[in-house]
Amino acid sequence: MGGPVDPPEGTPEGGPVGGEDEYRSVVFDESFVRAARLQESSARERMADHAPAVRRRPPLRRGLTRQALVLVLLILVAFGTAIYMGVRHPYGTQEAQQPAEPLRMTVIPLAPQGKVPGAADAEALFAHSPAAQYGVGAEGIPLPPARSTAHFSDSQVVTALTTAKDYIVRSALYPEVLDSSEVRPPRVLLDPGQLDQFDQSVDHPTADGRHAPTGWLIRFDPTRAELADPRIRVQGSLQATESDAATLEVTADHTLVYALRPTGAQAGSQVSLFTVRRELTFRFDRDDLRLHQTQLVVSYVQAGPLSCAEDSANHLHPLLAGETARAGGPAGTNPYATDSATALCGTLATGAEPKV
């Protein structure tokens, strides 16, 4: 009798040695069976009339599995969260952005007590003036160490200080601004909410404490004076503080000294010094910090030598070497008009002038 693996009649002629089935290595697992396109009918089904021995199975549904659906949903949720966090500030819900506050400005001319000192050499004038140890240009506006506040990071404080410095440099040191040929360099740093006020100040200057170009920037009457030395002397300070959870403020206090000569004068002509004391307050909300722009909210300027009889709203009209202040003063101020700026004029101390 054959073994359990041999057929009753023995090994078929020509079959494999030892009775090994050549198909024994093929394993028909469950997935293989389910994937078959034909399925044999059951005995009960074959007993029915006209029942086929086999029937075609419906094609397998090849939709996403449950795990794939879960993965897709997780990806969509993560993507949506990333978009949401990108448009929402990471510091949580913030107060609604307040509209930009209009700039309040005061420009005070300082009249000399006698003739304006002058010399042929600008360096000699600087060396014999209080500005002898001042820095030159932007070097005279150092940034203080930046420290985070309760609601603003170190980098945000640095951004506020840097933007304030950029505005000071562009509005008081750029030659094209000083000679009144350009106003764009400082304008591009302003919050959009202040641009209308700035443009109205330039197009229709008025000494009303709101619309004087010299409250926004330093510029000289181009028909009267020009720079005799591009190395403007500067000294001052910047300080950043948090005014509330949504606002940073930077206060700037700088003295700038310019060497001037008459417009079109030849080299070697008399040069005089012109001094500007400028106190500015800048305000930054989070949009301003992100866009590298600022709101200039307070501008207090003292400048001389100037004549109090001349309007200093649109341009500064410097008194040059050998000149004296004209008699008279600013127009009277109506104390009953609440929108009228107080007319002010000061005297330039002799100690503020070079000793020549």
Side-chain angles (χ1 to χ4, degrees), residues 32-45:
F32 180 85
V33 175
R34 287 185 177 181
R37 300 301 301 274
L38 297 177
Q39 182 180 18
E40 183 180 4
S41 300
S42 65
R44 184 182 300 276
E45 291 172 335

Side-chain angles (χ1 to χ4, degrees), residues 56-327:
R56 184 176 296 276
R57 299 181 65 181
L60 291 176
R61 298 180 62 185
R62 300 191 180 276
L64 294 175
T65 64
R66 178 176 300 179
Q67 292 84 352
L69 286 173
V70 171
L71 180 60
V72 170
L73 287 175
L74 288 176
I75 293 174
L76 291 176
V77 170
F79 187 68
T81 302
I83 295 177
Y84 175 72
M85 294 302 293
V87 299
R88 180 177 180 269
H89 200 276
Y91 291 92
T93 303
Q94 299 295 331
E95 298 84 353
Q97 298 293 346
Q98 298 297 321
E101 180 179 334
L103 170 62
R104 294 174 286 115
M105 60 185 72
T106 303
V107 180
I108 301 177
L110 303 177
Q113 300 182 43
K115 288 186 177 182
V116 176
D121 184 14
E123 284 291 341
L125 282 177
F126 281 125
H128 293 87
S129 76
Q133 303 302 319
Y134 283 14
V136 176
E139 295 179 359
I141 313 174
L143 294 179
R147 296 182 177 86
S148 61
T149 65
H151 299 90
F152 293 90
S153 66
D154 291 349
S155 63
Q156 289 176 311
V157 174
V158 169
T159 298
L161 291 168
T162 302
T163 305
K165 176 178 178 176
D166 287 348
Y167 186 91
I168 295 168
V169 170
R170 294 181 181 212
S171 65
L173 299 179
Y174 274 25
E176 63 270 29
V177 173
L178 297 174
D179 68 11
S180 301
S181 62
E182 280 284 352
V183 297
R184 188 175 183 276
R187 184 184 185 276
V188 297
L189 293 178
L190 290 173
D191 184 287
Q194 290 191 312
L195 294 181
D196 286 345
Q197 184 188 6
F198 180 92
D199 293 339
Q200 186 175 351
S201 300
V202 173
D203 297 336
H204 306 286
T206 306
D208 61 354
R210 289 288 189 274
H211 301 96
T214 49
W216 297 96
L217 45 83
I218 303 300
R219 65 177 186 175
F220 302 112
D221 180 352
T223 66
R224 176 174 297 195
E226 63 183 17
L227 285 177
D229 187 341
R231 295 169 297 176
I232 301 163
R233 303 318 198 254
V234 186
Q235 179 172 283
S237 62
L238 292 167
Q239 183 178 3
T241 57
E242 179 181 312
S243 59
D244 57 52
T247 310
L248 272 177
E249 279 193 359
V250 173
T251 54
D253 186 353
H254 291 86
T255 300
L256 306 102
V257 186
Y258 306 84
L260 303 178
R261 64 186 173 197
T263 300
Q266 300 295 323
S269 61
Q270 289 284 296
V271 176
S272 60
L273 297 185
F274 188 87
T275 304
V276 176
R277 172 75 178 276
R278 203 171 181 220
E279 300 174 51
L280 306 177
T281 300
F282 300 92
R283 187 166 295 164
F284 300 84
D285 58 29
R286 298 190 186 279
D287 281 344
D288 292 328
L289 294 172
R290 179 172 54 85
L291 299 173
H292 192 66
Q293 62 190 21
T294 185
Q295 303 170 42
L296 180 59
V297 294
V298 176
S299 173
Y300 182 81
V301 178
Q302 301 175 67
L306 290 170
S307 176
C308 293
E310 294 196 63
D311 182 9
S312 299
N314 191 18
H315 295 93
L316 299 176
H317 308 277
L319 294 174
L320 303 174
E323 295 182 337
T324 57
R326 290 167 48 190

